[in-house]
Amino acid sequence: AQSVTQPDIHITVSEGASLELRCNYSYGATPYLFWYVQSPGQGLQLLLKYFSGDTLVQGIKGFEAEFERSQSSFNLRKPSVHWSDAAEYFCAVWGSGTYKYIFGTGTRLKVLA
Amino acid sequence: EAGVAQSPRYKIIEKRQSVAFWCNPISGHATLYWYQQILGQGPKLLIQFQNNGVVDDSQLPKDRFSAERLKGVDSTLKIQPAKLEDSAVYLCASSLGGTGGNTGELFFGEGSRLTVL
């Protein structure tokens, strides 16, 4: 079955520190993977996506993510977090066989000044 | 380019009443999604349209929820009668889509927040 797991519900980091948000997926074939960010009271905005090719993808706002097939993971990273990065982050998978776009439960990021 | 428009932004109703939400996707986007996002949870797909046809409505509670996209453009999601557990944000999203499914970015509206008392 197609699914997405984000094991960390909340993460707190200090401004300027590095960040890694974890995402694990389950899908029988090569998935299409996405990270979205949601600020309070707003809709979701795409940060980056992986379809094929280079397993390290760059996104907006200085974020990057690495697709690791052996780990079934697509972790999001940022070298230095800014206070404006405080938001909720969602990992999503689209299945070419199911046509379903499934979201994880999200990780809420808090940034300490 | 105009984004995905949703209305109303906020709605408060009592249980057993009805409510309708409207969504106008980005012009030219063939695929339209309605998601339910309960506080503290990720978006849950309710229904997916490809033009005016339903691709997936397996998680839509059909005894109380209905949705339509009659002309393949804007869409309406209705809840009748509402229950307390329907309190959530209802997100509409669209994508370019096309035959064979969608592989690209979803563009989201700001959502419609429903409170059922």
Side-chain angles (χ1 to χ4, degrees):
Chain A
Q2 181 180 344
S3 67
V4 178
T5 301
Q6 293 181 248
D8 304 306
I9 298 174
H10 297 279
I11 283 186
T12 300
V13 300
S14 297
E15 190 170 19
S18 63
L19 172 71
E20 182 173 55
L21 303 182
R22 296 183 290 165
C23 171
N24 293 96
Y25 68 89
S26 174
Y27 185 65
T30 299
Y32 296 84
L33 296 162
F34 306 81
W35 275 100
Y36 285 83
V37 60
Q38 185 178 34
S39 298
Q42 302 296 314
L44 282 72
Q45 179 187 19
L46 180 70
L47 283 176
L48 47 77
K49 59 188 176 185
Y50 171 79
F51 287 173
S52 64
D54 193 347
T55 56
L56 183 65
V57 293
Q58 303 296 320
I60 62 171
K61 304 185 181 185
F63 286 92
E64 65 179 27
E66 185 165 18
F67 170 58
E68 295 191 66
R69 184 188 300 276
S70 63
Q71 303 294 320
S72 297
S73 68
F74 188 56
N75 295 342
L76 182 71
R77 298 194 289 254
K78 186 169 185 177
S80 178
V81 170
H82 188 262
W83 64 266
S84 60
D85 293 325
E88 187 140 25
Y89 292 80
F90 293 95
C91 182
V93 59
W94 183 85
S96 59
T98 64
Y99 303 126
K100 288 187 177 181
Y101 215 111
I102 303 296
F103 286 85
T105 52
T107 298
R108 183 171 297 277
L109 174 65
K110 182 177 179 180
V111 180
L112 301 177
Chain B
E1 175 182 85
V4 176
Q6 288 190 248
S7 67
R9 286 295 311 277
Y10 304 93
K11 189 75 176 178
I12 300 174
I13 62 173
E14 296 189 347
K15 60 183 179 183
R16 291 188 289 273
Q17 287 186 323
S18 63
V19 63
F21 301 112
W22 175 81
C23 172
N24 193 26
I26 292 173
S27 177
H29 280 195
T31 309
L32 185 148
Y33 305 78
W34 282 102
Y35 285 89
Q36 180 192 58
Q37 187 176 21
I38 293 173
L39 188 65
Q41 299 182 18
K44 171 189 153 186
L45 180 67
L46 292 176
I47 189 166
Q48 177 182 342
F49 292 95
Q50 181 73 15
N51 297 308
N52 60 351
V54 175
V55 173
D56 183 356
D57 64 355
S58 58
Q59 296 193 87
L60 187 73
K62 298 179 185 63
D63 58 334
R64 297 183 301 106
F65 286 65
S66 64
E68 60 183 15
R69 193 185 185 198
L70 292 176
K71 297 182 179 179
V73 181
D74 58 342
S75 175
T76 302
L77 176 71
K78 295 180 181 177
I79 307 174
Q80 182 180 6
K83 292 185 175 181
L84 296 177
E85 59 260 36
D86 297 332
S87 293
V89 176
Y90 291 86
L91 294 167
C92 179
S94 70
S95 68
L96 283 171
T99 57
N102 160 55
T103 63
E105 176 181 359
L106 294 190
F107 293 83
F108 283 85
E110 293 184 316
S112 294
R113 182 178 296 277
L114 173 65
T115 301
V116 182
L117 303 176

PDB file of all heavy atoms in Angstrom, chain B residues 8 10-21 64-65 77-88 90 112-117:
ATOM      1  N   PRO B   8     -16.231  29.989   1.552  1.00  0.00           N
ATOM      2  CA  PRO B   8     -15.752  31.068   2.409  1.00  0.00           C
ATOM      3  C   PRO B   8     -14.456  30.671   3.118  1.00  0.00           C
ATOM      4  O   PRO B   8     -14.105  29.502   3.147  1.00  0.00           O
ATOM      5  CB  PRO B   8     -16.899  31.225   3.411  1.00  0.00           C
ATOM      6  CG  PRO B   8     -17.431  29.836   3.546  1.00  0.00           C
ATOM      7  CD  PRO B   8     -17.336  29.224   2.171  1.00  0.00           C
ATOM      8  N   TYR B  10     -13.962  31.106   6.374  1.00  0.00           N
ATOM      9  CA  TYR B  10     -14.365  30.607   7.692  1.00  0.00           C
ATOM     10  C   TYR B  10     -15.886  30.380   7.699  1.00  0.00           C
ATOM     11  O   TYR B  10     -16.627  31.149   7.106  1.00  0.00           O
ATOM     12  CB  TYR B  10     -14.011  31.604   8.799  1.00  0.00           C
ATOM     13  CG  TYR B  10     -12.552  31.980   8.834  1.00  0.00           C
ATOM     14  CD1 TYR B  10     -12.100  33.103   8.144  1.00  0.00           C
ATOM     15  CD2 TYR B  10     -11.623  31.205   9.519  1.00  0.00           C
ATOM     16  CE1 TYR B  10     -10.765  33.449   8.152  1.00  0.00           C
ATOM     17  CE2 TYR B  10     -10.281  31.541   9.532  1.00  0.00           C
ATOM     18  CZ  TYR B  10      -9.859  32.663   8.847  1.00  0.00           C
ATOM     19  OH  TYR B  10      -8.530  32.992   8.849  1.00  0.00           O
ATOM     20  N   LYS B  11     -16.281  29.308   8.400  1.00  0.00           N
ATOM     21  CA  LYS B  11     -17.697  29.021   8.528  1.00  0.00           C
ATOM     22  C   LYS B  11     -17.931  28.333   9.860  1.00  0.00           C
ATOM     23  O   LYS B  11     -17.225  27.373  10.202  1.00  0.00           O
ATOM     24  CB  LYS B  11     -18.158  28.116   7.382  1.00  0.00           C
ATOM     25  CG  LYS B  11     -19.662  27.921   7.301  1.00  0.00           C
ATOM     26  CD  LYS B  11     -20.356  29.148   6.755  1.00  0.00           C
ATOM     27  CE  LYS B  11     -21.848  28.908   6.586  1.00  0.00           C
ATOM     28  NZ  LYS B  11     -22.567  30.114   6.098  1.00  0.00           N
ATOM     29  N   ILE B  12     -18.919  28.825  10.599  1.00  0.00           N
ATOM     30  CA  ILE B  12     -19.309  28.202  11.856  1.00  0.00           C
ATOM     31  C   ILE B  12     -20.770  27.785  11.720  1.00  0.00           C
ATOM     32  O   ILE B  12     -21.620  28.610  11.390  1.00  0.00           O
ATOM     33  CB  ILE B  12     -19.137  29.162  13.047  1.00  0.00           C
ATOM     34  CG1 ILE B  12     -17.675  29.595  13.164  1.00  0.00           C
ATOM     35  CG2 ILE B  12     -19.600  28.495  14.336  1.00  0.00           C
ATOM     36  CD1 ILE B  12     -17.438  30.668  14.228  1.00  0.00           C
ATOM     37  N   ILE B  13     -21.038  26.514  11.974  1.00  0.00           N
ATOM     38  CA  ILE B  13     -22.408  26.014  11.895  1.00  0.00           C
ATOM     39  C   ILE B  13     -22.673  25.095  13.071  1.00  0.00           C
ATOM     40  O   ILE B  13     -21.740  24.681  13.772  1.00  0.00           O
ATOM     41  CB  ILE B  13     -22.678  25.255  10.574  1.00  0.00           C
ATOM     42  CG1 ILE B  13     -21.765  24.012  10.467  1.00  0.00           C
ATOM     43  CG2 ILE B  13     -22.524  26.168   9.380  1.00  0.00           C
ATOM     44  CD1 ILE B  13     -22.075  23.123   9.287  1.00  0.00           C
ATOM     45  N   GLU B  14     -23.931  24.779  13.274  1.00  0.00           N
ATOM     46  CA  GLU B  14     -24.280  23.810  14.301  1.00  0.00           C
ATOM     47  C   GLU B  14     -24.419  22.437  13.649  1.00  0.00           C
ATOM     48  O   GLU B  14     -24.684  22.329  12.447  1.00  0.00           O
ATOM     49  CB  GLU B  14     -25.572  24.227  14.996  1.00  0.00           C
ATOM     50  CG  GLU B  14     -25.422  25.538  15.745  1.00  0.00           C
ATOM     51  CD  GLU B  14     -26.632  25.856  16.620  1.00  0.00           C
ATOM     52  OE1 GLU B  14     -27.662  25.189  16.458  1.00  0.00           O
ATOM     53  OE2 GLU B  14     -26.524  26.779  17.439  1.00  0.00           O
ATOM     54  N   LYS B  15     -24.229  21.420  14.476  1.00  0.00           N
ATOM     55  CA  LYS B  15     -24.335  20.058  13.940  1.00  0.00           C
ATOM     56  C   LYS B  15     -25.721  19.859  13.347  1.00  0.00           C
ATOM     57  O   LYS B  15     -26.692  20.459  13.777  1.00  0.00           O
ATOM     58  CB  LYS B  15     -24.039  19.018  15.014  1.00  0.00           C
ATOM     59  CG  LYS B  15     -24.932  19.043  16.205  1.00  0.00           C
ATOM     60  CD  LYS B  15     -24.472  18.000  17.230  1.00  0.00           C
ATOM     61  CE  LYS B  15     -25.368  18.048  18.451  1.00  0.00           C
ATOM     62  NZ  LYS B  15     -24.924  17.099  19.516  1.00  0.00           N
ATOM     63  N   ARG B  16     -25.725  19.055  12.321  1.00  0.00           N
ATOM     64  CA  ARG B  16     -26.912  18.716  11.533  1.00  0.00           C
ATOM     65  C   ARG B  16     -27.265  19.788  10.500  1.00  0.00           C
ATOM     66  O   ARG B  16     -28.150  19.557   9.684  1.00  0.00           O
ATOM     67  CB  ARG B  16     -28.126  18.402  12.408  1.00  0.00           C
ATOM     68  CG  ARG B  16     -27.966  17.090  13.183  1.00  0.00           C
ATOM     69  CD  ARG B  16     -29.273  16.717  13.895  1.00  0.00           C
ATOM     70  NE  ARG B  16     -29.531  17.611  15.017  1.00  0.00           N
ATOM     71  CZ  ARG B  16     -29.050  17.416  16.240  1.00  0.00           C
ATOM     72  NH1 ARG B  16     -28.263  16.399  16.483  1.00  0.00           N
ATOM     73  NH2 ARG B  16     -29.350  18.247  17.215  1.00  0.00           N
ATOM     74  N   GLN B  17     -26.588  20.929  10.541  1.00  0.00           N
ATOM     75  CA  GLN B  17     -26.804  21.908   9.483  1.00  0.00           C
ATOM     76  C   GLN B  17     -25.982  21.531   8.260  1.00  0.00           C
ATOM     77  O   GLN B  17     -25.171  20.599   8.287  1.00  0.00           O
ATOM     78  CB  GLN B  17     -26.412  23.312   9.967  1.00  0.00           C
ATOM     79  CG  GLN B  17     -27.392  23.910  10.965  1.00  0.00           C
ATOM     80  CD  GLN B  17     -27.061  25.348  11.308  1.00  0.00           C
ATOM     81  OE1 GLN B  17     -25.900  25.742  11.425  1.00  0.00           O
ATOM     82  NE2 GLN B  17     -28.099  26.161  11.476  1.00  0.00           N
ATOM     83  N   SER B  18     -26.196  22.254   7.177  1.00  0.00           N
ATOM     84  CA  SER B  18     -25.462  21.982   5.943  1.00  0.00           C
ATOM     85  C   SER B  18     -24.517  23.146   5.642  1.00  0.00           C
ATOM     86  O   SER B  18     -24.689  24.268   6.129  1.00  0.00           O
ATOM     87  CB  SER B  18     -26.427  21.768   4.785  1.00  0.00           C
ATOM     88  OG  SER B  18     -27.172  22.948   4.554  1.00  0.00           O
ATOM     89  N   VAL B  19     -23.507  22.841   4.829  1.00  0.00           N
ATOM     90  CA  VAL B  19     -22.528  23.859   4.450  1.00  0.00           C
ATOM     91  C   VAL B  19     -21.993  23.517   3.064  1.00  0.00           C
ATOM     92  O   VAL B  19     -21.958  22.336   2.678  1.00  0.00           O
ATOM     93  CB  VAL B  19     -21.384  23.944   5.482  1.00  0.00           C
ATOM     94  CG1 VAL B  19     -20.602  22.639   5.549  1.00  0.00           C
ATOM     95  CG2 VAL B  19     -20.465  25.117   5.209  1.00  0.00           C
ATOM     96  N   ALA B  20     -21.600  24.529   2.326  1.00  0.00           N
ATOM     97  CA  ALA B  20     -21.012  24.314   1.002  1.00  0.00           C
ATOM     98  C   ALA B  20     -19.769  25.167   0.856  1.00  0.00           C
ATOM     99  O   ALA B  20     -19.730  26.324   1.288  1.00  0.00           O
ATOM    100  CB  ALA B  20     -22.018  24.660  -0.096  1.00  0.00           C
ATOM    101  N   PHE B  21     -18.750  24.575   0.254  1.00  0.00           N
ATOM    102  CA  PHE B  21     -17.504  25.270  -0.021  1.00  0.00           C
ATOM    103  C   PHE B  21     -17.281  25.308  -1.529  1.00  0.00           C
ATOM    104  O   PHE B  21     -17.580  24.346  -2.235  1.00  0.00           O
ATOM    105  CB  PHE B  21     -16.327  24.556   0.653  1.00  0.00           C
ATOM    106  CG  PHE B  21     -16.473  24.446   2.141  1.00  0.00           C
ATOM    107  CD1 PHE B  21     -16.665  23.206   2.736  1.00  0.00           C
ATOM    108  CD2 PHE B  21     -16.424  25.570   2.940  1.00  0.00           C
ATOM    109  CE1 PHE B  21     -16.803  23.098   4.114  1.00  0.00           C
ATOM    110  CE2 PHE B  21     -16.570  25.478   4.315  1.00  0.00           C
ATOM    111  CZ  PHE B  21     -16.763  24.238   4.897  1.00  0.00           C
ATOM    112  N   ARG B  64     -22.816  11.823   3.698  1.00  0.00           N
ATOM    113  CA  ARG B  64     -23.016  13.208   4.111  1.00  0.00           C
ATOM    114  C   ARG B  64     -22.261  14.214   3.245  1.00  0.00           C
ATOM    115  O   ARG B  64     -22.590  15.391   3.231  1.00  0.00           O
ATOM    116  CB  ARG B  64     -22.569  13.380   5.571  1.00  0.00           C
ATOM    117  CG  ARG B  64     -23.380  12.557   6.551  1.00  0.00           C
ATOM    118  CD  ARG B  64     -22.974  12.797   7.983  1.00  0.00           C
ATOM    119  NE  ARG B  64     -21.569  12.480   8.227  1.00  0.00           N
ATOM    120  CZ  ARG B  64     -20.638  13.393   8.388  1.00  0.00           C
ATOM    121  NH1 ARG B  64     -20.954  14.672   8.318  1.00  0.00           N
ATOM    122  NH2 ARG B  64     -19.385  13.033   8.618  1.00  0.00           N
ATOM    123  N   PHE B  65     -21.237  13.745   2.556  1.00  0.00           N
ATOM    124  CA  PHE B  65     -20.426  14.630   1.727  1.00  0.00           C
ATOM    125  C   PHE B  65     -20.760  14.401   0.256  1.00  0.00           C
ATOM    126  O   PHE B  65     -20.960  13.253  -0.175  1.00  0.00           O
ATOM    127  CB  PHE B  65     -18.930  14.354   1.918  1.00  0.00           C
ATOM    128  CG  PHE B  65     -18.346  14.850   3.214  1.00  0.00           C
ATOM    129  CD1 PHE B  65     -18.757  14.329   4.433  1.00  0.00           C
ATOM    130  CD2 PHE B  65     -17.353  15.819   3.209  1.00  0.00           C
ATOM    131  CE1 PHE B  65     -18.205  14.785   5.617  1.00  0.00           C
ATOM    132  CE2 PHE B  65     -16.788  16.268   4.387  1.00  0.00           C
ATOM    133  CZ  PHE B  65     -17.211  15.750   5.595  1.00  0.00           C
ATOM    134  N   LEU B  77     -17.998  21.578  -2.742  1.00  0.00           N
ATOM    135  CA  LEU B  77     -18.016  20.488  -1.771  1.00  0.00           C
ATOM    136  C   LEU B  77     -19.111  20.791  -0.752  1.00  0.00           C
ATOM    137  O   LEU B  77     -19.132  21.879  -0.185  1.00  0.00           O
ATOM    138  CB  LEU B  77     -16.671  20.369  -1.056  1.00  0.00           C
ATOM    139  CG  LEU B  77     -16.575  19.339   0.063  1.00  0.00           C
ATOM    140  CD1 LEU B  77     -16.594  17.923  -0.507  1.00  0.00           C
ATOM    141  CD2 LEU B  77     -15.296  19.554   0.885  1.00  0.00           C
ATOM    142  N   LYS B  78     -20.016  19.851  -0.563  1.00  0.00           N
ATOM    143  CA  LYS B  78     -21.134  20.059   0.360  1.00  0.00           C
ATOM    144  C   LYS B  78     -21.103  19.028   1.469  1.00  0.00           C
ATOM    145  O   LYS B  78     -20.750  17.857   1.245  1.00  0.00           O
ATOM    146  CB  LYS B  78     -22.465  19.963  -0.388  1.00  0.00           C
ATOM    147  CG  LYS B  78     -22.674  21.051  -1.431  1.00  0.00           C
ATOM    148  CD  LYS B  78     -24.010  20.898  -2.130  1.00  0.00           C
ATOM    149  CE  LYS B  78     -24.203  21.981  -3.197  1.00  0.00           C
ATOM    150  NZ  LYS B  78     -25.466  21.812  -3.945  1.00  0.00           N
ATOM    151  N   ILE B  79     -21.498  19.455   2.648  1.00  0.00           N
ATOM    152  CA  ILE B  79     -21.639  18.565   3.788  1.00  0.00           C
ATOM    153  C   ILE B  79     -23.062  18.735   4.324  1.00  0.00           C
ATOM    154  O   ILE B  79     -23.492  19.832   4.633  1.00  0.00           O
ATOM    155  CB  ILE B  79     -20.642  18.895   4.916  1.00  0.00           C
ATOM    156  CG1 ILE B  79     -19.214  18.949   4.372  1.00  0.00           C
ATOM    157  CG2 ILE B  79     -20.740  17.838   6.025  1.00  0.00           C
ATOM    158  CD1 ILE B  79     -18.183  19.412   5.400  1.00  0.00           C
ATOM    159  N   GLN B  80     -23.788  17.612   4.377  1.00  0.00           N
ATOM    160  CA  GLN B  80     -25.161  17.669   4.853  1.00  0.00           C
ATOM    161  C   GLN B  80     -25.616  16.299   5.343  1.00  0.00           C
ATOM    162  O   GLN B  80     -25.669  15.360   4.527  1.00  0.00           O
ATOM    163  CB  GLN B  80     -26.086  18.145   3.729  1.00  0.00           C
ATOM    164  CG  GLN B  80     -27.541  18.281   4.116  1.00  0.00           C
ATOM    165  CD  GLN B  80     -28.421  18.758   2.966  1.00  0.00           C
ATOM    166  OE1 GLN B  80     -27.970  18.887   1.832  1.00  0.00           O
ATOM    167  NE2 GLN B  80     -29.673  19.015   3.249  1.00  0.00           N
ATOM    168  N   PRO B  81     -25.910  16.118   6.623  1.00  0.00           N
ATOM    169  CA  PRO B  81     -25.779  17.077   7.712  1.00  0.00           C
ATOM    170  C   PRO B  81     -24.377  17.030   8.314  1.00  0.00           C
ATOM    171  O   PRO B  81     -23.722  15.987   8.297  1.00  0.00           O
ATOM    172  CB  PRO B  81     -26.808  16.558   8.716  1.00  0.00           C
ATOM    173  CG  PRO B  81     -26.765  15.074   8.511  1.00  0.00           C
ATOM    174  CD  PRO B  81     -26.499  14.859   7.037  1.00  0.00           C
ATOM    175  N   ALA B  82     -23.932  18.144   8.862  1.00  0.00           N
ATOM    176  CA  ALA B  82     -22.595  18.196   9.446  1.00  0.00           C
ATOM    177  C   ALA B  82     -22.569  17.540  10.820  1.00  0.00           C
ATOM    178  O   ALA B  82     -23.554  17.572  11.567  1.00  0.00           O
ATOM    179  CB  ALA B  82     -22.130  19.643   9.555  1.00  0.00           C
ATOM    180  N   LYS B  83     -21.415  16.938  11.146  1.00  0.00           N
ATOM    181  CA  LYS B  83     -21.161  16.359  12.455  1.00  0.00           C
ATOM    182  C   LYS B  83     -20.002  17.120  13.104  1.00  0.00           C
ATOM    183  O   LYS B  83     -19.224  17.798  12.424  1.00  0.00           O
ATOM    184  CB  LYS B  83     -20.803  14.878  12.333  1.00  0.00           C
ATOM    185  CG  LYS B  83     -21.933  13.982  11.876  1.00  0.00           C
ATOM    186  CD  LYS B  83     -21.487  12.520  11.923  1.00  0.00           C
ATOM    187  CE  LYS B  83     -22.640  11.593  11.590  1.00  0.00           C
ATOM    188  NZ  LYS B  83     -22.233  10.159  11.666  1.00  0.00           N
ATOM    189  N   LEU B  84     -19.896  16.942  14.403  1.00  0.00           N
ATOM    190  CA  LEU B  84     -18.825  17.617  15.136  1.00  0.00           C
ATOM    191  C   LEU B  84     -17.451  17.277  14.557  1.00  0.00           C
ATOM    192  O   LEU B  84     -16.579  18.151  14.452  1.00  0.00           O
ATOM    193  CB  LEU B  84     -18.865  17.246  16.618  1.00  0.00           C
ATOM    194  CG  LEU B  84     -20.109  17.672  17.397  1.00  0.00           C
ATOM    195  CD1 LEU B  84     -20.029  17.160  18.841  1.00  0.00           C
ATOM    196  CD2 LEU B  84     -20.280  19.176  17.379  1.00  0.00           C
ATOM    197  N   GLU B  85     -17.279  16.017  14.163  1.00  0.00           N
ATOM    198  CA  GLU B  85     -15.968  15.579  13.674  1.00  0.00           C
ATOM    199  C   GLU B  85     -15.627  16.112  12.293  1.00  0.00           C
ATOM    200  O   GLU B  85     -14.525  15.877  11.784  1.00  0.00           O
ATOM    201  CB  GLU B  85     -15.875  14.046  13.663  1.00  0.00           C
ATOM    202  CG  GLU B  85     -16.920  13.359  12.812  1.00  0.00           C
ATOM    203  CD  GLU B  85     -18.073  12.823  13.651  1.00  0.00           C
ATOM    204  OE1 GLU B  85     -18.446  13.494  14.646  1.00  0.00           O
ATOM    205  OE2 GLU B  85     -18.588  11.753  13.281  1.00  0.00           O
ATOM    206  N   ASP B  86     -16.550  16.854  11.685  1.00  0.00           N
ATOM    207  CA  ASP B  86     -16.257  17.469  10.391  1.00  0.00           C
ATOM    208  C   ASP B  86     -15.511  18.791  10.547  1.00  0.00           C
ATOM    209  O   ASP B  86     -15.095  19.395   9.547  1.00  0.00           O
ATOM    210  CB  ASP B  86     -17.547  17.720   9.608  1.00  0.00           C
ATOM    211  CG  ASP B  86     -18.292  16.442   9.280  1.00  0.00           C
ATOM    212  OD1 ASP B  86     -17.632  15.379   9.160  1.00  0.00           O
ATOM    213  OD2 ASP B  86     -19.531  16.484   9.172  1.00  0.00           O
ATOM    214  N   SER B  87     -15.331  19.237  11.771  1.00  0.00           N
ATOM    215  CA  SER B  87     -14.566  20.466  12.011  1.00  0.00           C
ATOM    216  C   SER B  87     -13.148  20.252  11.498  1.00  0.00           C
ATOM    217  O   SER B  87     -12.430  19.358  11.947  1.00  0.00           O
ATOM    218  CB  SER B  87     -14.543  20.788  13.502  1.00  0.00           C
ATOM    219  OG  SER B  87     -15.829  21.126  13.972  1.00  0.00           O
ATOM    220  N   ALA B  88     -12.757  21.090  10.558  1.00  0.00           N
ATOM    221  CA  ALA B  88     -11.478  20.908   9.878  1.00  0.00           C
ATOM    222  C   ALA B  88     -11.277  22.068   8.910  1.00  0.00           C
ATOM    223  O   ALA B  88     -12.154  22.908   8.740  1.00  0.00           O
ATOM    224  CB  ALA B  88     -11.461  19.584   9.101  1.00  0.00           C
ATOM    225  N   TYR B  90     -10.802  22.680   4.969  1.00  0.00           N
ATOM    226  CA  TYR B  90     -11.025  21.997   3.689  1.00  0.00           C
ATOM    227  C   TYR B  90     -10.198  22.723   2.633  1.00  0.00           C
ATOM    228  O   TYR B  90     -10.405  23.895   2.339  1.00  0.00           O
ATOM    229  CB  TYR B  90     -12.520  21.963   3.357  1.00  0.00           C
ATOM    230  CG  TYR B  90     -13.225  21.042   4.320  1.00  0.00           C
ATOM    231  CD1 TYR B  90     -13.665  21.510   5.556  1.00  0.00           C
ATOM    232  CD2 TYR B  90     -13.362  19.690   4.035  1.00  0.00           C
ATOM    233  CE1 TYR B  90     -14.257  20.649   6.478  1.00  0.00           C
ATOM    234  CE2 TYR B  90     -13.940  18.827   4.942  1.00  0.00           C
ATOM    235  CZ  TYR B  90     -14.384  19.317   6.171  1.00  0.00           C
ATOM    236  OH  TYR B  90     -14.941  18.453   7.086  1.00  0.00           O
ATOM    237  N   SER B 112     -10.711  26.517   3.618  1.00  0.00           N
ATOM    238  CA  SER B 112     -11.951  26.958   4.268  1.00  0.00           C
ATOM    239  C   SER B 112     -12.029  26.276   5.621  1.00  0.00           C
ATOM    240  O   SER B 112     -12.070  25.044   5.685  1.00  0.00           O
ATOM    241  CB  SER B 112     -13.174  26.572   3.430  1.00  0.00           C
ATOM    242  OG  SER B 112     -13.195  27.259   2.195  1.00  0.00           O
ATOM    243  N   ARG B 113     -12.001  27.067   6.666  1.00  0.00           N
ATOM    244  CA  ARG B 113     -12.015  26.501   8.019  1.00  0.00           C
ATOM    245  C   ARG B 113     -13.443  26.349   8.499  1.00  0.00           C
ATOM    246  O   ARG B 113     -14.194  27.335   8.596  1.00  0.00           O
ATOM    247  CB  ARG B 113     -11.236  27.384   8.992  1.00  0.00           C
ATOM    248  CG  ARG B 113     -11.181  26.815  10.407  1.00  0.00           C
ATOM    249  CD  ARG B 113     -10.352  27.704  11.316  1.00  0.00           C
ATOM    250  NE  ARG B 113      -8.964  27.757  10.888  1.00  0.00           N
ATOM    251  CZ  ARG B 113      -8.037  26.859  11.192  1.00  0.00           C
ATOM    252  NH1 ARG B 113      -8.357  25.823  11.952  1.00  0.00           N
ATOM    253  NH2 ARG B 113      -6.806  26.998  10.769  1.00  0.00           N
ATOM    254  N   LEU B 114     -13.828  25.121   8.806  1.00  0.00           N
ATOM    255  CA  LEU B 114     -15.190  24.813   9.271  1.00  0.00           C
ATOM    256  C   LEU B 114     -15.159  24.464  10.749  1.00  0.00           C
ATOM    257  O   LEU B 114     -14.365  23.620  11.172  1.00  0.00           O
ATOM    258  CB  LEU B 114     -15.778  23.641   8.490  1.00  0.00           C
ATOM    259  CG  LEU B 114     -17.126  23.114   8.987  1.00  0.00           C
ATOM    260  CD1 LEU B 114     -18.214  24.159   8.816  1.00  0.00           C
ATOM    261  CD2 LEU B 114     -17.512  21.823   8.278  1.00  0.00           C
ATOM    262  N   THR B 115     -16.016  25.114  11.505  1.00  0.00           N
ATOM    263  CA  THR B 115     -16.220  24.766  12.908  1.00  0.00           C
ATOM    264  C   THR B 115     -17.659  24.324  13.079  1.00  0.00           C
ATOM    265  O   THR B 115     -18.580  25.070  12.723  1.00  0.00           O
ATOM    266  CB  THR B 115     -15.941  25.960  13.837  1.00  0.00           C
ATOM    267  OG1 THR B 115     -14.589  26.384  13.642  1.00  0.00           O
ATOM    268  CG2 THR B 115     -16.141  25.563  15.297  1.00  0.00           C
ATOM    269  N   VAL B 116     -17.832  23.104  13.583  1.00  0.00           N
ATOM    270  CA  VAL B 116     -19.168  22.571  13.820  1.00  0.00           C
ATOM    271  C   VAL B 116     -19.402  22.522  15.325  1.00  0.00           C
ATOM    272  O   VAL B 116     -18.650  21.884  16.059  1.00  0.00           O
ATOM    273  CB  VAL B 116     -19.329  21.166  13.210  1.00  0.00           C
ATOM    274  CG1 VAL B 116     -20.745  20.649  13.438  1.00  0.00           C
ATOM    275  CG2 VAL B 116     -18.999  21.190  11.724  1.00  0.00           C
ATOM    276  N   LEU B 117     -20.427  23.240  15.778  1.00  0.00           N
ATOM    277  CA  LEU B 117     -20.724  23.325  17.224  1.00  0.00           C
ATOM    278  C   LEU B 117     -21.829  22.363  17.634  1.00  0.00           C
ATOM    279  O   LEU B 117     -22.713  22.058  16.819  1.00  0.00           O
ATOM    280  CB  LEU B 117     -21.133  24.759  17.575  1.00  0.00           C
ATOM    281  CG  LEU B 117     -20.107  25.856  17.215  1.00  0.00           C
ATOM    282  CD1 LEU B 117     -20.679  27.218  17.535  1.00  0.00           C
ATOM    283  CD2 LEU B 117     -18.801  25.626  17.965  1.00  0.00           C
TER     284      LEU B 117
END
